[in-house]
Amino acid sequence: LYEWTINGAKWRTAKTTWTATLVLTVFSAAIGGTFQYGYNLSIINAPTSYIQKFINETYMERWDTGLDTSQLTLLWTCIVSAFSLGGLFGALLAGPMAVKLGRKKSLLLNNIFMLVATVLMIILARFLVGVNSGVSMNVQPMYFGESAPVHLRGAVAFSSAVFTAFGIFLGQVVGLTEILGAQNLWPYLLASNAIPALIQVLTLPWFPESPRYLLIDKGDRESCECALARLRGGEVPPSEMEEMLQEKERLTSAAINSHSTAKTPWALFKDKDLRTQLRTVIAASSAMMLCGNDSIYFYAYYIFLEAGIPLQKIQYVTIGTGASEFLSSILSNFLIERVGRRYLLIGGYSLMSFWSFVFTIALVLQSQGVAGMPYLSMACVFAYILSFGLGPAGVTGILPAEIFDQAARPAAYMIAGSFLWICLLLVGMLFPFIVKTLGNYCFLPFMVVCVVSALFLGFTLPETKGKTLRHYFCHCKYSPITTVTTQMFCRTPLF
């Protein structure tokens, strides 16, 4: 039995398990959602040289002269950056879409960007793919967090990270020269992202909308109860319904006073009571991209080459990096409701700090010709990726859904997503210069980011495992805290 206490009244309901509808809803939403982010992040790596050759040959045909190395590098940087810029635009678009269209319909319409991108070429296509990823990375965790029962909320929301890692892994596999990574097949490789989009378009309409959105945003209690019953295996848990009705009542009262329901990003920045958790999600989202995990994928090619792996075999070893993140995300999915969000985040960044330090030492000794260092460097690559997948990769996306209420949640995801994509763009543009400037010490800045993130989140982030939002009107600084850590910020518990 699962016990709830609401306004002094105790409720006991049977603990909801993973129902078939919930599992299929997660798969349908994720296969066209965060899976696409990982997949499209991965498939662009295999045909890099082929695309650059195509660009140069096309330029030669039109202008009777070729591009020099610097011009080709600049053009390729624009192609890579288009994905991040599209993601930033998508993150800003996700909030209004989630409020006006709902979570499910936003994910469905988001596939338009992907399907249009499959018939366009390179820069514009990568921009639209980025828009699709920006929308899905914000709306999907919101959809999952609002559809899952409290005791499964972390595991369901963490599925977003599992599908991202699966997308990276599958993209590496499909990008093999034996499949779609050959020179004459790269256009089909880039267009293969239409398949997950079509799967979602055909399957997601059969599954329910977020019950919280239906009740609190749309005011449709009947549809909410119907959706909740489907997701919970045929029964409407009275405790969940009561908790949602209380939140709706509180938000309705607040809307009457403010003449508005959903908050805007600017309103979140202006609200002093929300600044603490806003700083937390901004820091967590920024750290996720500034920690260097995507950069280590780039650096892995050099490490594997130095370890003596034949050039033609590196693509097979690289698959191991994607498999590492995929396996660690699955493990973390089982741990999150046992260990909690806070410890996974702190532990993940702490381990990444350690491995980046060891990695730096290994690179320095490797440059001095010390035997065995290339293998230590290779081990650090896998350990770093495993540590990232264990915590930061999945927990970061859950936080806005758990520490903001229904009115503030879409705007919180817009802000967090914007910082995430801006940081991804900055790292992508600056990392080559960091490597050129710092050489073997290029991962020290990432180590600093990981250390600072572990300390900041350790001091500011409370545990949200198994808690529901219960806003009692206190006038001190906000903290999404348990009864044990309440005294850190406020005398009245908010969960």
Side-chain angles (χ1 to χ4, degrees), residues 395-457:
V395 178
T396 305
I398 300 174
L399 296 180
E402 294 195 327
I403 64 178
F404 287 94
D405 63 20
Q406 194 76 8
R409 194 172 294 131
Y413 268 107
M414 286 175 64
I415 295 170
S418 298
F419 275 88
L420 183 148
W421 286 100
I422 290 171
C423 291
L424 177 63
L425 177 64
L426 289 175
V427 170
M429 295 179 67
L430 295 178
F431 184 65
F433 298 100
I434 294 174
V435 173
K436 186 177 181 180
T437 304
L438 299 180
N440 294 326
Y441 299 93
C442 62
F443 271 84
L444 287 181
F446 299 129
M447 185 187 74
V448 173
V449 170
C450 292
V451 170
V452 172
S453 300
L455 292 173
F456 179 81
L457 294 172

Side-chain angles (χ1 to χ4, degrees), residues 160-476:
S160 298
V162 174
F163 275 87
T164 298
F166 179 53
I168 292 173
F169 170 69
L170 191 61
Q172 291 172 336
V173 172
V174 175
L176 292 173
T177 53
E178 293 85 353
I179 305 179
L180 290 179
Q183 183 171 352
N184 61 326
L185 295 176
W186 69 263
Y188 299 101
L189 174 62
L190 297 187
S192 62
N193 52 27
I195 297 174
L198 289 173
I199 292 174
Q200 184 177 82
V201 168
L202 294 173
T203 58
L204 190 58
W206 299 97
F207 299 106
E209 175 60 274
S210 158
R212 301 188 79 88
Y213 172 78
L214 291 171
L215 179 66
I216 299 175
D217 290 82
K218 303 298 290 183
D220 190 345
R221 179 167 179 169
E222 183 179 350
S223 296
C224 169
E225 290 179 343
C226 180
L228 199 60
R230 290 185 62 192
L231 290 167
R232 301 296 180 267
E235 295 182 0
V236 178
S239 51
E240 278 194 71
M241 199 67 201
E242 179 65 21
E243 188 266 329
M244 285 192 288
L245 287 169
Q246 286 189 1
E247 184 176 352
K248 175 178 170 58
E249 183 180 351
R250 182 184 62 78
L251 291 175
T252 301
S253 301
I256 292 173
N257 295 328
S258 63
H259 308 288
S260 176
T261 51
K263 287 182 176 290
T264 63
W266 181 241
L268 287 192
F269 281 113
K270 290 170 60 179
D271 193 332
K272 294 180 180 180
D273 293 331
L274 298 178
R275 286 178 185 171
T276 302
Q277 71 260 46
L278 191 58
R279 282 197 299 267
T280 300
V281 297
I282 288 174
S285 298
S286 301
M288 182 180 172
M289 289 303 169
L290 294 177
C291 69
N293 185 70
D294 292 327
S295 300
I296 209 165
Y297 275 102
F298 167 82
Y299 215 70
Y301 178 88
Y302 161 76
I303 296 300
F304 296 152
L305 195 63
E306 288 294 309
I309 297 171
L311 184 62
Q312 64 273 19
K313 300 294 183 183
I314 288 180
Q315 60 174 335
Y316 304 106
V317 181
T318 303
I319 292 176
T321 59
S324 296
E325 186 171 340
F326 181 43
L327 292 175
S328 63
S329 64
I330 293 175
L331 174 61
S332 188
N333 193 267
F334 289 108
L335 292 176
I336 190 168
E337 293 299 349
R338 294 173 174 82
V339 178
R341 290 79 160 134
R342 185 170 179 269
Y343 288 114
L344 285 178
L345 268 179
I346 297 171
Y349 281 122
S350 299
L351 287 171
M352 292 168 72
S353 304
F354 172 76
W355 289 116
S356 58
F357 178 72
V358 176
F359 189 36
T360 301
I361 294 175
L363 289 175
V364 172
L365 295 178
Q366 182 177 321
S367 66
Q368 297 173 0
V370 177
M373 287 301 104
Y375 299 102
L376 178 59
S377 298
M378 191 163 63
C380 289
V381 168
F382 285 100
Y384 198 87
I385 293 171
L386 282 166
S387 302
F388 177 78
L390 196 62
V395 178
T396 305
I398 300 174
L399 296 180
E402 294 195 327
I403 64 178
F404 287 94
D405 63 20
Q406 194 76 8
R409 194 172 294 131
Y413 268 107
M414 286 175 64
I415 295 170
S418 298
F419 275 88
L420 183 148
W421 286 100
I422 290 171
C423 291
L424 177 63
L425 177 64
L426 289 175
V427 170
M429 295 179 67
L430 295 178
F431 184 65
F433 298 100
I434 294 174
V435 173
K436 186 177 181 180
T437 304
L438 299 180
N440 294 326
Y441 299 93
C442 62
F443 271 84
L444 287 181
F446 299 129
M447 185 187 74
V448 173
V449 170
C450 292
V451 170
V452 172
S453 300
L455 292 173
F456 179 81
L457 294 172
F459 284 112
T460 63
L461 181 67
E463 183 53 67
T464 60
K465 180 185 69 172
K467 304 296 184 293
T468 59
L469 276 169
R470 307 232 198 276
H471 283 80
Y472 300 109
F473 296 93
C474 73
H475 301 286
C476 57

